[in-house]
Amino acid sequence: MRKRQVVLRRASPEEPSRSSSTASSLTVRGLRYGECQKNHAAAVGGYAVDGCREFMASNGEEGSVAALTCAACGCHRSFHRREIETEVVCDCNSPPSTGN
C-alpha cells in the first residue's frame, strides 16, 4: 500500500494573503482531512486500517474534544490525512503581450 500526501503549496503563517505588486492576487487556502490512517493492528505487528474515507466531526462545539473525534470511525482528527489546498487567484489588468 502506497502512502500519498497532497500539498499544492505550503504557505508560512507570516506570508500575507494579499500581495502588493502590479497585479493584485489573493491566496485562498482550504484545509480538509481525508481517509483515516490509524493502524489498528500495530500491537500485533500487522497493518490494518478501518476504511474511513473522510473525517466527519462529531456533534460538539468548535474547538471541543467532541469536535476533534470522527463520527464515522471514532478516531482523533490527527489520524486522518491532512490535505492543504491553496489557490492563487490573480486579477491581471495588464494588456496581453504581443510576443515581440
Side-chain angles (χ1 to χ4, degrees):
M1 180 173 245
R2 247 176 47 185
K3 288 188 178 182
R4 135 183 100 118
Q5 181 178 8
V6 177
V7 176
L8 297 177
R9 182 173 163 242
R10 192 175 301 258
S12 65
E14 298 86 28
E15 180 180 317
S17 61
R18 182 172 283 277
S19 65
S20 59
S21 62
T22 57
S24 63
S25 65
L26 176 67
T27 303
V28 180
R29 293 184 185 96
L31 178 67
R32 64 181 290 269
Y33 292 89
E35 66 270 2
C36 184
Q37 297 178 337
K38 182 176 181 180
N39 184 4
H40 294 278
V44 294
Y47 183 76
V49 293
D50 59 8
C52 179
R53 300 293 296 161
E54 184 177 3
F55 175 78
M56 294 182 291
S58 297
N59 292 337
E61 224 176 279
E62 183 69 30
S64 68
V65 176
L68 296 176
T69 57
C70 182
C73 65
C75 293
H76 190 270
R77 185 177 71 181
S78 64
F79 285 108
H80 289 261
R81 182 172 49 88
R82 184 177 177 184
E83 296 176 353
I84 303 170
E85 299 171 351
T86 303
E87 180 180 346
V88 177
V89 180
C90 179
D91 181 20
C92 299
N93 294 327
S94 62
S97 63
T98 58
N100 290 335

